[in-house]
Amino acid sequence: MIPKNVLSELEHIVGKENVLTDYADIFVYSYDATQLHKVPDVVVIVSNSNQVSRVIKIARENNINIYPRGSGTSISGGPIPAEGGIVLELGRMNKILDIDTENMIAIVEPGVVAAVLDAEVAKKGLFYPPDPGSLSVATIGGCVAEGAGGLRGLKYGTTKNYVIGLEVVLPSSEIIQTGGLSLRGSPGFDLTHLFVCSEGTLGIITKIMLKLIYPPKKIKTMLVMFDEIESAGLAVARIVENKVIPSTLELLDKVSINAIEDFNRVGLPRDIEALLLIEVDGEPEDVEKSAKIVEDVCSTTGARSIEVAKDENERKRLTQARRSLFPVLARLKPTAITEDATVPRSKVPLMVKRIHEIKEKYNLLVGSCGHVGDGNMHPIFLTDKRDKAEMEKVEKAVSEIFDYCIELGGTLTGEHGIGVVKAKFMEREFKKEGIKFFSDIKRAIDPQNIMNPNKIIMTKEIKVDYV
Amino acid sequence: MIPKNVLSELEHIVGKENVLTDYADIFVYSYDATQLHKVPDVVVIVSNSNQVSRVIKIARENNINIYPRGSGTSISGGPIPAEGGIVLELGRMNKILDIDTENMIAIVEPGVVAAVLDAEVAKKGLFYPPDPGSLSVATIGGCVAEGAGGLRGLKYGTTKNYVIGLEVVLPSSEIIQTGGLSLRGSPGFDLTHLFVCSEGTLGIITKIMLKLIYPPKKIKTMLVMFDEIESAGLAVARIVENKVIPSTLELLDKVSINAIEDFNRVGLPRDIEALLLIEVDGEPEDVEKSAKIVEDVCSTTGARSIEVAKDENERKRLTQARRSLFPVLARLKPTAITEDATVPRSKVPLMVKRIHEIKEKYNLLVGSCGHVGDGNMHPIFLTDKRDKAEMEKVEKAVSEIFDYCIELGGTLTGEHGIGVVKAKFMEREFKKEGIKFFSDIKRAIDPQNIMNPNKIIMTKEIKVDYV
């Protein structure tokens, strides 16, 4: 419970209409795409960094937790106000402050929706490559805080590769600038990337400077069908060995393919075991050469057939099919738990095999897809949160996947963050010393542990229920 | 002075022959390329991370400062043992541990010389783009600690864009792993990039994982002569606006051109005001197209003439001329002070103009060059450290350059680090709040302030003399 005088102070800063406490109003701020939830004590809607600073000051003085929130598309429980306190709604800070075509830089507020930025940047003849699945809804602030990736990671990198500067309100309520408009970065240890992927645990990002590039002149999209998932894995390795770096290199398994067909009828063969969605882009001549290499490689590694998009409409249809995957899988069962195990590219076939074995062992329904070009696998467990017995099996399966992932030199997440759902696995990846180091930094910056507490690093285990 | 029992403990760890205290032995560890110097108390030559950890433990217990050292090519005074203590010589940790062609990753020890890595990587058909001027001598550890750049920054980025994981020995003597073999990075705030550019102030880097790429199939090199430096600045902007991102886009001024001619006789016209060294690379057809655009742009922006390298030998001759610049300028006068002001690309012409004005105002000899494609200017002050009056003028000039640089949205360094020489300017860029934030992190990680103390962030001003 937030004391009345604190609520008054908050109202004084942002206006009465921007401090929400009615259950019906605040319930929608209680969950994210994990369906995990906890109703906050209060939601404060802010409009600028000065307000953020003043809200933080009050929170600190009263030892109240703060949870920054964008569009709530997290699938790691990042924005869930798990231990009560203030949800800081940043969606209204949604101005594109500048698109500097000369220096190829965009400056935006955190609440700008990714797709809106993409469109505005495109109007100026530029390109912002990171393309998380949720880009039509997700905010850039959330993308930066969680290190969002997407389909273009192999060739273009992910959000972290495009952030060159930030304005951040610290837990001390001080406002700092990191990085800047120079592509060379700024001196000293990298404060910008200390906040990228910090999931709101170190401060509130209130301004973001992003590097932009020129868009590719041509894109060619191919769908390659395989009777065996191992052959698809082999094709991935061979394509890169042949010096083609596709902008997209996506694997979908049979469950995923059939889910897409059930709801979207793209015309994919339902009996294949795996499908690669491959895009090559760049200068027109290079694209043709690369596409030829991809086709040759896929043929020699056992592809059943290869379909090439004939025009832009067909290209969009094929990529939209992939983009629809999470929603369509989510329709198969009441609960979809999306994992994000990431391994070195050469280990993808091993990881694919092990995911299959684990799924068989526990008799679970799993749809697998992945940005396999950069080793990012998404096994999606389709289950029912009310079925306690199956949920326990899912938990064991997830744990085994991460153990193997780390054994292969991989990591717990390629783009979804740690949030509440994976904090318990962090020690497996970073060992005791690493966790202590994370904690030392967190404590130095946020000594009261009020900024999105117990996300990434647990000081205690927190119990969060499904909505 | 290090107590005798501490020296014995150090000898116990690394062997008697690897603990140097004789003046003649340790003198060479007293300076770097700035010519600033301070003789350390002792030099400890380490061979592995376990030894590093044990040495740090002893240093901590006895409150002795530690200064990591690679090849000493720093031009910011990074490795200078300014306040006495242990120089930790890492040059013997020079093994390339793995070049993983499947995942396109190299794993190296910090003492590997950049050019050695380049050559080994090339043998496997891969490419490590960062190319600092000192690459034939500089170690990768130093490049990572200082954020080394080079001529290829505009298209390929700098060292920081290639580091994907580290092993670090902390001031606590604990060893942690950051990042890893996955190109997607690892979860939580970015520990890897906390150490990149940390200049040895947060821990000792003992292992480095680097992303590799495929080399370009073709490179075309052009020299473009201008009668006015402003025209060259305009050409830089126009080339990028015409969607050509050269791999190299270097500006040299008249002083630089003549210094090269004095010592190397490349055949450059001595009467031109500016020269652009431009390289475009990639697929052969694209290279030709891009080169054509560059030539057209330069003609319309007032180039006097354009010379295209006819073959690989000529290409090497032209780029070597640029690479020889620092040494040849250093021959003009006893002391060369290399600055590293970096601004957004669109501000390069303004910065060039101001550098010229400041040089005139103080009547100084300055040779200017720069990686202008990414806004990194190098005004090189040619002076004599024994001439106190002129050295004071240089100091004022440098200070004015940085004021203007920050006014333009630029930064104190694009690739040389802060070290001792620029620590006093840091507050201008980061303001009080930023400096406090740096200090909070430094204190959390190195509470005794023994790791390369007073570099980047001064807790007190330190006086260092020229050798």
Side-chain angles (χ1 to χ4, degrees):
Chain A
M1 276 292 291
I2 312 274
K4 255 202 160 143
N5 66 314
V6 174
L7 289 177
S8 302
E9 286 185 71
L10 294 170
E11 286 173 357
H12 183 68
I13 297 168
V14 296
K16 206 171 163 48
E17 68 283 12
N18 294 317
V19 176
L20 314 180
T21 50
D22 278 3
Y23 191 80
D25 290 335
I26 62 180
F27 186 81
V28 289
Y29 296 92
S30 71
Y31 56 89
D32 66 5
T34 58
Q35 300 186 42
L36 292 166
H37 98 128
K38 166 88 168 116
V39 179
D41 292 308
V42 57
V43 174
V44 179
I45 305 170
V46 286
S47 298
N48 56 57
S49 53
N50 180 273
Q51 288 183 352
V52 172
S53 169
R54 290 164 69 197
V55 171
I56 289 182
K57 186 161 180 288
I58 288 174
R60 202 185 64 230
E61 287 167 356
N62 295 279
N63 216 35
I64 300 169
N65 297 327
I66 294 210
Y67 309 88
R69 186 181 176 91
S71 297
T73 56
S74 168
I75 35 185
S76 61
I80 293 171
E83 299 180 272
I86 300 169
V87 163
L88 199 70
E89 161 63 38
L90 294 153
R92 204 173 284 170
M93 292 179 68
N94 62 355
K95 284 191 283 298
I96 296 177
L97 302 170
D98 191 22
I99 297 174
D100 173 349
T101 53
E102 268 186 309
N103 294 300
M104 302 170 74
I105 287 168
I107 307 178
V108 304
E109 290 187 329
V112 172
V113 168
V116 171
L117 178 67
D118 289 355
E120 291 304 312
V121 157
K123 280 183 200 163
K124 306 243 180 177
L126 293 167
F127 179 40
Y128 175 67
D131 61 340
S134 52
L135 65 83
S136 59
V137 189
T139 63
I140 296 290
C143 291
V144 172
E146 300 291 325
L151 277 64
R152 302 190 187 111
L154 170 60
K155 177 165 180 178
Y156 290 107
T158 61
T159 304
K160 68 183 80 169
N161 302 111
Y162 291 85
V163 184
I164 60 170
L166 296 172
E167 177 187 84
V168 181
V169 185
L170 298 175
S172 66
S173 73
E174 286 171 321
I175 301 174
I176 61 167
Q177 306 283 338
T178 75
L181 298 176
S182 157
L183 295 180
R184 288 271 169 149
S186 67
F189 28 99
D190 188 340
L191 302 188
T192 302
H193 286 88
L194 189 60
F195 290 100
V196 176
C197 300
S198 69
E199 306 190 10
T201 63
L202 301 180
I204 307 293
I205 296 167
T206 48
K207 203 185 284 178
I208 301 157
M209 287 165 236
L210 296 166
K211 186 176 93 161
L212 305 173
I213 63 174
Y214 286 124
K217 293 207 183 115
K218 187 172 178 179
I219 306 173
K220 194 155 188 172
T221 302
M222 291 162 273
L223 279 186
V224 191
M225 330 293 169
F226 290 91
D227 289 320
E228 284 170 33
I229 200 160
E230 290 75 15
S231 312
L234 187 63
V236 169
R238 290 275 182 280
I239 289 167
V240 177
E241 277 166 33
N242 277 277
K243 303 199 179 179
V244 174
I245 307 291
S247 52
T248 294
L249 190 39
E250 294 284 311
L251 176 75
L252 281 79
D253 75 351
K254 192 172 192 168
V255 173
S256 304
I257 294 161
N258 278 282
I260 291 174
E261 279 307 306
D262 286 346
F263 296 102
N264 278 343
R265 295 185 188 276
V266 181
L268 303 174
R270 285 178 177 271
D271 63 330
I272 55 173
E273 287 295 323
L275 179 152
L276 288 179
L277 169 69
I278 305 174
E279 293 199 321
V280 288
D281 70 6
E283 293 289 315
E285 303 87 340
D286 305 339
V287 167
E288 293 307 324
K289 274 197 288 184
S290 298
K292 178 76 174 60
I293 294 172
V294 169
E295 288 186 49
D296 289 350
V297 164
C298 289
S299 299
T300 58
T301 49
R304 182 201 285 192
S305 63
I306 301 171
E307 189 182 337
V308 180
K310 280 168 214 76
D311 53 33
E312 184 59 19
N313 277 340
E314 205 171 314
R315 189 183 87 71
K316 282 208 175 127
R317 188 176 58 88
L318 297 180
T319 55
Q320 280 307 324
R322 161 62 186 87
R323 287 204 176 274
S324 72
L325 182 60
F326 286 3
V328 299
L329 281 172
R331 288 167 77 171
L332 294 180
K333 288 272 225 150
T335 307
I337 295 174
T338 305
E339 281 311 338
D340 191 27
T342 302
V343 294
R345 183 173 49 243
S346 67
K347 308 294 186 190
V348 165
L350 288 174
M351 194 73 231
V352 165
K353 188 161 169 275
R354 183 63 69 91
I355 290 171
H356 182 75
E357 286 163 6
I358 291 171
K359 157 186 153 172
E360 295 287 305
K361 174 177 163 187
Y362 289 107
N363 189 28
L364 294 167
L365 180 59
V366 178
S368 271
C369 66
H371 317 309
V372 286
D374 42 353
N376 192 180
M377 293 297 303
H378 291 313
I380 301 166
F381 291 87
L382 303 163
T383 179
D384 185 339
K385 65 197 176 195
R386 294 160 299 189
D387 181 345
K388 295 269 177 271
E390 187 163 283
M391 288 298 279
E392 266 175 39
K393 288 199 286 177
V394 169
E395 201 161 308
K396 282 184 191 158
V398 167
S399 177
E400 287 180 27
I401 285 174
F402 284 129
D403 276 340
Y404 191 57
C405 175
I406 288 165
E407 190 186 321
L408 294 176
T411 178
L412 298 172
T413 173
E415 55 184 17
H416 295 169
I418 294 297
V420 282
V421 301
K422 286 192 229 171
K424 59 179 174 291
F425 299 121
M426 282 288 279
E427 197 170 311
R428 296 191 201 174
E429 180 164 346
F430 289 95
K431 312 289 174 299
K432 273 204 166 35
E433 299 76 28
I435 298 299
K436 181 174 168 297
F437 188 68
F438 269 116
S439 305
D440 286 349
I441 291 171
K442 165 75 171 167
R443 203 176 307 111
I445 299 174
D446 178 22
Q448 288 171 262
N449 194 26
I450 58 170
M451 301 299 301
N452 214 4
N454 296 310
K455 310 288 169 69
I456 305 182
I457 300 299
M458 296 192 300
T459 45
K460 60 176 184 202
E461 196 165 347
I462 37 181
K463 180 90 192 88
V464 190
D465 292 318
Y466 281 94
V467 71
Chain B
M1 277 290 293
I2 311 274
K4 254 200 160 145
N5 66 315
V6 173
L7 289 176
S8 303
E9 286 184 71
L10 293 170
E11 287 173 358
H12 182 69
I13 295 168
V14 296
K16 207 171 162 46
E17 68 284 9
N18 293 318
V19 176
L20 314 180
T21 51
D22 278 4
Y23 191 80
D25 290 335
I26 62 179
F27 186 82
V28 289
Y29 295 91
S30 71
Y31 57 89
D32 65 7
T34 57
Q35 299 185 45
L36 292 167
H37 97 129
K38 167 84 167 114
V39 179
D41 294 305
V42 57
V43 174
V44 179
I45 305 171
V46 286
S47 298
N48 56 57
S49 53
N50 181 274
Q51 287 182 353
V52 173
S53 168
R54 290 165 69 197
V55 171
I56 288 182
K57 186 162 183 288
I58 288 173
R60 202 185 65 229
E61 287 167 357
N62 296 278
N63 216 35
I64 300 168
N65 296 328
I66 294 209
Y67 308 88
R69 187 181 174 91
S71 298
T73 56
S74 169
I75 36 186
S76 61
I80 294 170
E83 299 180 271
I86 301 169
V87 163
L88 200 71
E89 160 63 38
L90 294 153
R92 203 172 284 170
M93 291 179 66
N94 63 355
K95 283 192 285 295
I96 295 177
L97 301 171
D98 190 22
I99 296 175
D100 173 349
T101 52
E102 268 187 308
N103 294 300
M104 302 171 72
I105 287 167
I107 307 178
V108 304
E109 290 187 330
V112 171
V113 168
V116 171
L117 177 66
D118 289 355
E120 291 304 312
V121 157
K123 280 184 200 164
K124 305 244 179 175
L126 293 167
F127 179 40
Y128 175 66
D131 61 340
S134 52
L135 66 83
S136 59
V137 189
T139 63
I140 295 290
C143 291
V144 172
E146 301 291 326
L151 278 62
R152 302 190 187 113
L154 171 60
K155 177 165 178 178
Y156 291 108
T158 61
T159 303
K160 69 184 79 169
N161 302 111
Y162 292 85
V163 184
I164 58 170
L166 296 171
E167 179 187 82
V168 181
V169 185
L170 299 175
S172 65
S173 73
E174 286 170 321
I175 302 174
I176 61 166
Q177 306 283 338
T178 75
L181 299 176
S182 157
L183 294 180
R184 287 272 169 147
S186 67
F189 28 100
D190 188 340
L191 302 186
T192 301
H193 286 87
L194 188 61
F195 290 100
V196 176
C197 299
S198 70
E199 305 190 14
T201 63
L202 300 180
I204 308 292
I205 296 167
T206 47
K207 201 185 284 177
I208 300 157
M209 288 165 234
L210 297 166
K211 186 176 93 161
L212 305 172
I213 63 173
Y214 287 123
K217 293 207 183 114
K218 186 170 180 179
I219 306 174
K220 193 154 191 173
T221 301
M222 290 162 275
L223 278 186
V224 191
M225 329 294 170
F226 290 90
D227 289 319
E228 284 170 33
I229 200 159
E230 290 75 15
S231 312
L234 187 63
V236 169
R238 290 277 181 280
I239 288 167
V240 177
E241 278 167 32
N242 277 276
K243 305 199 179 180
V244 174
I245 307 291
S247 53
T248 294
L249 188 41
E250 293 284 310
L251 176 76
L252 280 78
D253 76 351
K254 193 172 193 167
V255 174
S256 304
I257 294 161
N258 279 282
I260 290 174
E261 278 308 304
D262 286 346
F263 297 103
N264 278 342
R265 295 183 188 276
V266 181
L268 303 174
R270 283 177 178 274
D271 63 331
I272 55 173
E273 286 296 323
L275 180 150
L276 288 179
L277 170 68
I278 305 173
E279 293 199 323
V280 288
D281 70 6
E283 293 289 314
E285 303 89 341
D286 304 338
V287 168
E288 291 308 326
K289 273 196 287 183
S290 297
K292 178 77 175 59
I293 293 171
V294 168
E295 289 186 50
D296 291 349
V297 165
C298 289
S299 300
T300 58
T301 50
R304 179 201 288 191
S305 62
I306 301 170
E307 189 183 333
V308 179
K310 281 171 214 75
D311 53 33
E312 183 60 19
N313 278 340
E314 206 172 311
R315 189 182 87 74
K316 282 207 175 128
R317 187 176 59 87
L318 297 180
T319 54
Q320 279 308 321
R322 161 62 185 89
R323 290 207 172 273
S324 73
L325 181 61
F326 287 1
V328 299
L329 281 173
R331 289 168 75 171
L332 294 180
K333 288 273 225 150
T335 307
I337 295 173
T338 305
E339 280 312 337
D340 192 26
T342 302
V343 294
R345 182 174 50 244
S346 66
K347 309 293 186 189
V348 166
L350 289 174
M351 194 73 231
V352 165
K353 189 161 168 278
R354 183 63 68 92
I355 290 171
H356 182 74
E357 287 163 7
I358 292 171
K359 154 186 156 174
E360 295 288 305
K361 172 177 167 189
Y362 290 105
N363 190 27
L364 294 167
L365 181 58
V366 179
S368 270
C369 66
H371 317 309
V372 286
D374 42 353
N376 192 181
M377 293 297 303
H378 291 312
I380 302 167
F381 292 86
L382 302 163
T383 179
D384 186 339
K385 64 196 175 196
R386 294 159 300 189
D387 181 344
K388 295 269 178 272
E390 187 163 284
M391 289 297 279
E392 266 174 38
K393 289 199 285 177
V394 169
E395 202 161 309
K396 281 185 192 158
V398 167
S399 177
E400 286 179 28
I401 285 174
F402 284 129
D403 276 339
Y404 191 57
C405 176
I406 289 166
E407 192 186 319
L408 294 176
T411 177
L412 297 171
T413 174
E415 54 185 21
H416 295 169
I418 294 297
V420 284
V421 302
K422 286 191 232 170
K424 60 180 173 290
F425 299 120
M426 281 289 278
E427 196 170 312
R428 297 192 202 173
E429 180 165 345
F430 289 96
K431 313 286 174 296
K432 274 203 166 35
E433 299 77 28
I435 298 299
K436 181 174 169 294
F437 188 67
F438 270 117
S439 305
D440 286 348
I441 292 171
K442 166 76 170 165
R443 201 177 310 112
I445 299 175
D446 178 22
Q448 288 170 262
N449 194 26
I450 57 171
M451 302 300 302
N452 214 7
N454 296 311
K455 310 288 169 68
I456 305 181
I457 300 301
M458 298 192 300
T459 45
K460 61 177 181 204
E461 197 164 346
I462 39 181
K463 179 92 192 88
V464 189
D465 292 319
Y466 282 94
V467 72

